[in-house]
Amino acid sequence: MNSSALDQTDREIIRLLQQDARLSSKEIAARLKRRPSTIFARFNRLKELGYLTGSTVLIDRNKFADLMTVFINVQLNDHSCEALSAFQEDMAPHPEVMECYHTTGQVDYVLKVVVNDMAAYKDFLVKKLTSNLNVKGYASHFVIAENKRELAYPMQHLL
């Protein structure tokens, strides 16, 4: 099932859950003027089809002054499918790596890394990133201020 198979009610359920994953089927039903049993069934269907994959609590990053966010542009030596997959698999288990994107352009990957301090960042670079023999080079971009962080996908614009 692709996203074009989602109807307006499915999209609205996803939009509401992205705003507050704690909403009950009854609360969503009230907002959408639908029966709770209908919303509950649709919610379960969306989970079974993989559109909904868990829930999380977001922290206020400003409450944690000791967190450093760094975006790292990574260039690789080898661009074969095997080498790309190996790099992704190598980065995935590291808790510092919050996001990993395979990109086009002058860099192969963009990593979002969160650490406590510069010593932890150096440790990540030396022991985890540059120890990968396929890493040709990298450029680090330290976040000075977080002006906008939106994690919910804009359903009305995407589907």
Side-chain angles (χ1 to χ4, degrees), residues 35-71:
R35 293 185 15 221
S37 59
T38 300
I39 297 302
F40 184 75
R42 283 176 176 258
F43 174 80
N44 285 334
R45 188 178 112 262
L46 290 167
K47 280 179 66 174
E48 288 171 12
L49 294 172
Y51 286 98
L52 304 176
T53 59
S55 61
T56 188
V57 173
L58 303 178
I59 66 166
D60 181 348
R61 192 249 173 268
N62 296 317
K63 301 283 186 191
F64 296 87
D66 57 344
L67 292 181
M68 288 178 38
T69 302
V70 186
F71 288 92

Side-chain angles (χ1 to χ4, degrees), residues 37-115:
S37 59
T38 300
I39 297 302
F40 184 75
R42 283 176 176 258
F43 174 80
N44 285 334
R45 188 178 112 262
L46 290 167
K47 280 179 66 174
E48 288 171 12
L49 294 172
Y51 286 98
L52 304 176
T53 59
S55 61
T56 188
V57 173
L58 303 178
I59 66 166
D60 181 348
R61 192 249 173 268
N62 296 317
K63 301 283 186 191
F64 296 87
D66 57 344
L67 292 181
M68 288 178 38
T69 302
V70 186
F71 288 92
I72 307 172
N73 295 339
V74 181
Q75 292 178 309
L76 301 180
N77 290 307
D78 183 357
H79 297 96
S80 67
C81 289
E82 296 81 17
L84 296 173
S85 293
F87 179 78
Q88 293 168 25
E89 290 172 15
D90 189 34
M91 292 298 108
H94 302 305
E96 304 93 337
V97 178
M98 303 295 295
E99 299 172 35
C100 177
Y101 299 100
H102 184 198
T103 61
T104 62
Q106 301 207 358
V107 299
D108 299 305
Y109 284 89
V110 175
L111 304 178
K112 178 181 177 184
V113 173
V114 177
V115 292

